[in-house]
């Protein structure tokens, strides 16, 4: 509940048909009894009449709560809101007049429940510490959250695309491709985990009171589900897996992979971690476009075929750009917390209008590249089916400006944006496979 | 634990109420009221509070005297009766906050069926599902049939059922 100005609390209370007056009775128990609004008297509340045996004594400090819900058959209820006021009681003719000295309240239409709950995480953790308990989830959900597993589509798509281009060139080898996938997945999960550590250290995730499934980090550190130390150990182990597998590929397939791996590790680690903190400098999007597009797809092609492919670079550029747009849009709800903690992403630096125009511009470039590929003879004509992904990009663009400042209303928009990347990537892969088959 | 009999009208209000007002006393003796879903298990009025909203739990631990107001006909299926239950509350803070409250789920589900969906997705808001139970042992009941609190209430002391 948040503090309210007493006059505002009185104004709000008038929308409720009754209040519950509470005070301490002679036996030390609270008395809490419902009373209708009788009249209004400036900044005072007048409630009653009440049974004379239940009237508080003149001058008694009383509290009054006005509470509202709307029952929803088969669901529960919604439209939760309440106003609490405190002040001395004046009693006359069975009526109780209260001039509030202090007031609090909550209205879920103003502060959504999830934000309300998020604002009290600190208190919840203090209480858990006091009673000697630890917040927990099942091992599966803890790993799921800490590593942000669903975002792995950002890795699977470019690695699969690199494999599809190799298959189109008649050079696909499943074993090497699977090793590429393992290295890329381990690197991506390591980046996710170390990113959470860096955002916890900088305070940007802690300051975020509007996390969504797509933004605000995994929050396992903030909720006390995983310690910072365990996150660092996990990230290190995942980086080690990526490095070892990458090294095996470089030594057995092509030493050029050493460079790709080194760039990927530096960009991944430096994305949020010191000293580079690339995302704090507004460089997050180009880094993601490079890493989750050409670097992964052309790297996969190189590992599988032992040859560099500019065609794979070109084919994966739209996927990289759309992946960067996942980050870009997902940062919109994080804007207030990022700005407050010095994480100056493009979203923080730019006006909402410019951000929306930027999204449209990048999508035009991404789908323009898909269109031009066959015309220039770089990609097969079948890859034009990937233009179908533009539907979800448009579904993202259309409501973006209208919902810009509404974190929870942006959830379906962010979901549509993830689908835009996934659908475009999968259709590109399908295009290569169809071109190979026909 | 012995069974306690409340007036039938009050048990009915507890059965249907989606919200009751739980009033506790803070360290200065000031009453603070929280809207919460009440449950009745035949012997105690029960509430469950997320650790996120733990201030009420701290207040009850310091002073167990509470009152529960059943006041809103809209939240009680149109039932216009009103009641106040005074009693001593205890926070079951020796229990595991991760799972202990789940025994109240059948009562909770009956009033708020959507809770099952939220429990399934508890990973999305994990601290909301770290909860402690508040048990209120009724000591005095005030009942207004028809809900007119300008009239004197029927006052009763809950009956403890012998042999239960």
């Amino acid at each position: 509940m948040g503090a309210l100005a007493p006059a505002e609390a009185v104004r709000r209370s008038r929308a409720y048909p009754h209040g519950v007056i509470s005070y301490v009775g002679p036996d030390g128990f609270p008395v809490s009894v419902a009373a209708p609004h009788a009249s209004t008297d400036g900044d005072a509340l007048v409630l009653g009449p009440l049974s004379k045996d239940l009237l508080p004594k003149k001058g008694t400090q009383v509290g009054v709560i006005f509470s509202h819900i709307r029952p929803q058959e088969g669901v529960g209820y919604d439209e939760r809101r309440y106003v609490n006021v405190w002040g001395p009681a004046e009693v006359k003719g069975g009526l109780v007049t209260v001039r509030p000295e202090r007031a609090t309240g909550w209205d879920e239409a103003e502060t959504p429940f999830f934000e309300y709950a998020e604002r009290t995480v600190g208190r919840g953790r203090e209480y858990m510490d006091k009673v000697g308990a630890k917040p927990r989830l099942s091992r599966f959900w803890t790993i799921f959250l800490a590593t942000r597993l669903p975002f792995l589509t950002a890795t699977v798509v470019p690695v699969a695309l690199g494999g599809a281009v190799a298959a189109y060139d008649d050079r696909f080898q499943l074993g090497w491709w699977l090793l590429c996938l393992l290295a890329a997945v381990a690197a991506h999960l390591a980046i996710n985990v170390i990113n959470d550590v860096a955002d916890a250290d900088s305070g940007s995730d802690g300051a975020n009171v509007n996390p969504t499934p797509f933004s605000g980090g995994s929050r396992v550190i903030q909720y006390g589900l995983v310690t910072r130390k365990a996150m660092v150990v996990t990230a290190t182990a995942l980086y080690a897996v990526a490095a070892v597998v990458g090294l095996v590929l470089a030594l057995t397939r092509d030493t050029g992979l050493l460079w790709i791996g080194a760039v990927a590790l530096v960009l991944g680690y430096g994305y949020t971690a010191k000293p580079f903190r690339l995302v704090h400098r507004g460089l997050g999007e180009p880094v993601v476009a490079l890493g989750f597009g050409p670097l992964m797809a052309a790297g996969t092609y190189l590992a599988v075929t032992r040859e560099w492919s500019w065609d794979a670079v070109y084919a994966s550029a739209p996927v990289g750009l759309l992946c960067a747009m996942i980050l870009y849009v997902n940062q919109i709800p994080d804007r207030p917390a990022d700005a407050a903690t010095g994480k100056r992403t493009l979203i923080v630096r730019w006006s909402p209008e410019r951000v929306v125009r930027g999204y449209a511009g990048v999508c035009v470039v991404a789908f323009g590249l898909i269109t031009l590929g066959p015309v220039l003879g770089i990609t097969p004509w079948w890859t034009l089916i990937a233009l179908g992904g533009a539907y979800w990009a448009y579904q993202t663009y259309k409501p973006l400006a209208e919902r810009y400042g509404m974190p929870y209303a942006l959830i379906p928009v962010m979901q549509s944006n993830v689908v835009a990347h996934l659908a475009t990537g999968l259709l590109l892969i399908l295009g290569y496979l169809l071109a190979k088959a026909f | 634990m012995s069974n306690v009999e409340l007036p039938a009208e009050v048990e009915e209000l507890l059965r249907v109420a989606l919200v009751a007002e739980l009033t506790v006393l803070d360290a200065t003796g000031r009453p603070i009221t929280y809207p919460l879903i009440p449950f009745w298990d035949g012997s105690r009025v029960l509430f469950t509070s997320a650790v996120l909203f733990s201030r009420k739990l701290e207040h009850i631990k310091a002073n167990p005297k509470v009152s529960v107001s059943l006041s809103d006909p809209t939240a009680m299926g149109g039932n216009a009766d009103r009641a106040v239950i005074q009693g001593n509350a205890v926070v079951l803070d020796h229990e595991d906050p991760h799972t202990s409250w789940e025994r109240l789920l059948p009562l909770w589900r009956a009033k708020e069926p959507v809770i099952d969906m939220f429990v399934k997705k508890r990973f999305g808001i994990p601290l909301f599902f770290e909860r402690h139970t508040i048990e209120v042992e009724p000591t005095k009941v005030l009942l207004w049939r028809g809900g007119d609190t300008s009239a004197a209430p029927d006052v009763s002391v809950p009956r403890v059922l012998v042999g239960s």
Side-chain angles (χ1 to χ4, degrees), chain A residues 151-166 176-177 179-192 242 249 257 260-261 263-265 267-268 287-304 307-309 312-313 315-317 319-320 323 421:
Chain A
F151 286 101
L152 273 185
T153 56
T155 287
V156 174
V157 164
V159 171
L161 182 58
V165 179
W176 296 117
W177 181 82
L179 275 182
C180 286
L181 184 64
L182 176 61
V185 163
H188 185 179
L189 296 181
I191 290 166
N192 285 351
L249 286 169
L257 288 166
I260 291 177
V263 170
L265 283 178
L267 291 180
V287 166
V288 168
L290 182 67
F292 289 88
L295 221 53
M296 278 197 189
T300 300
Y301 189 96
L302 179 59
V304 170
E307 273 185 26
W308 180 255
S309 165
V313 171
S316 61
V319 166
C323 191
H421 166 264

Side-chain angles (χ1 to χ4, degrees), chain A residues 1 18 20 22-24 27-35 49-51 54 61 63 65 67 69 71 74-77 82 84 86 102 113-114 116-117 120-121 123-125 127-128 130-131 133 135-137 141 145 223 225, chain B residues 18-19 21 23 25 29-31 33-35 37 51-55 57-58 61 65-67 69 71-72 74-75 82 84 86-88 91 96-98 111-114 123 125-128 130 132 142 144 149-152:
Chain A
M1 74 181 82
H18 74 275
V20 173
S22 58
Y23 58 94
V24 183
D27 56 1
F29 280 93
V31 176
S32 52
V33 58
L50 278 183
S51 164
L54 290 167
Q61 283 289 324
I65 188 169
S67 173
I69 60 157
V75 176
Y77 49 83
Y82 63 86
N84 255 320
W86 293 271
R102 185 170 170 270
F113 175 75
F114 291 105
Y116 182 45
T120 56
V121 165
R123 184 181 306 148
R125 288 200 59 193
Y127 179 83
M128 294 287 276
K130 267 192 205 168
V131 298
R136 65 183 197 272
L137 285 175
W141 284 117
L145 286 183
Y223 295 158
L225 296 167
Chain B
L18 294 174
V19 169
E21 290 85 22
T23 300
L25 301 174
R30 185 183 62 160
T33 303
Y34 300 90
I37 307 183
V51 299
L52 292 165
F53 313 119
S54 57
R55 209 167 268 167
L57 303 176
E58 303 285 13
K61 286 188 209 178
K65 292 179 175 175
V66 302
S67 69
S69 176
S71 71
D72 184 1
T74 306
R82 282 177 164 149
V84 174
Q86 292 178 319
N88 290 301
V91 177
D96 179 1
H98 191 69
K111 294 188 176 186
E112 193 181 5
V114 76
F123 61 88
I125 182 168
L127 291 185
F128 182 72
E130 299 289 343
H132 269 150
L142 288 71
W144 291 267
T149 52
S150 67

Side-chain angles (χ1 to χ4, degrees), chain B residues 13-48:
Chain B
L13 289 178
L14 283 167
R15 190 184 67 76
V16 299
L18 294 174
V19 169
E21 290 85 22
L22 171 68
T23 300
V24 304
L25 301 174
D26 74 6
T28 66
R30 185 183 62 160
I32 305 179
T33 303
Y34 300 90
L36 288 173
I37 307 183
F39 306 116
W40 172 248
D41 72 351
S43 61
R44 302 281 189 278
V45 181
L46 302 166
F47 299 95
T48 169

Side-chain angles (χ1 to χ4, degrees), chain A residues 69-90:
Chain A
I69 60 157
R70 182 177 67 169
Q72 293 281 12
E73 185 69 30
V75 176
Y77 49 83
D78 63 1
E79 292 187 359
R80 290 168 291 184
R81 56 180 176 267
Y82 63 86
V83 174
N84 255 320
V85 302
W86 293 271
E90 294 166 28

Side-chain angles (χ1 to χ4, degrees), chain A residues 140-306:
Chain A
F140 169 79
W141 284 117
T142 305
I143 294 170
F144 181 90
L145 286 183
T147 57
R148 286 185 271 170
L149 273 180
F151 286 101
L152 273 185
T153 56
T155 287
V156 174
V157 164
V159 171
L161 182 58
V165 179
Y168 178 69
D169 291 343
D170 270 335
R171 305 185 65 181
F172 183 72
Q173 297 190 66
L174 181 64
W176 296 117
W177 181 82
L178 285 174
L179 275 182
C180 286
L181 184 64
L182 176 61
V185 163
H188 185 179
L189 296 181
I191 290 166
N192 285 351
V193 174
I194 207 67
N195 175 264
D196 264 2
V197 172
D199 283 347
D201 289 351
S202 74
S204 61
D205 278 353
N208 193 333
V209 291
N210 299 116
T212 71
F214 299 94
S215 61
S218 76
R219 311 194 77 71
V220 292
I221 297 177
Q222 287 74 29
Y223 295 158
L225 296 167
V226 184
T227 64
R228 181 188 183 281
K229 186 179 171 188
M231 291 290 274
V232 171
V233 169
T234 303
T236 307
L238 288 164
Y239 270 127
V241 171
V244 168
V245 177
L247 206 59
V248 169
L249 286 169
L251 295 177
T252 55
R253 304 301 289 166
D254 192 294
T255 50
L257 288 166
L258 273 180
W259 292 106
I260 291 177
V263 170
L265 283 178
V266 170
L267 291 180
Y269 180 79
Y271 178 72
T272 42
K274 288 178 180 174
F276 303 114
R277 305 177 95 186
L278 297 164
V279 73
H280 289 242
R281 301 170 202 276
L283 294 171
E285 285 77 4
V287 166
V288 168
L290 182 67
F292 289 88
L295 221 53
M296 278 197 189
T300 300
Y301 189 96
L302 179 59
V304 170
T305 68
R306 307 180 93 165

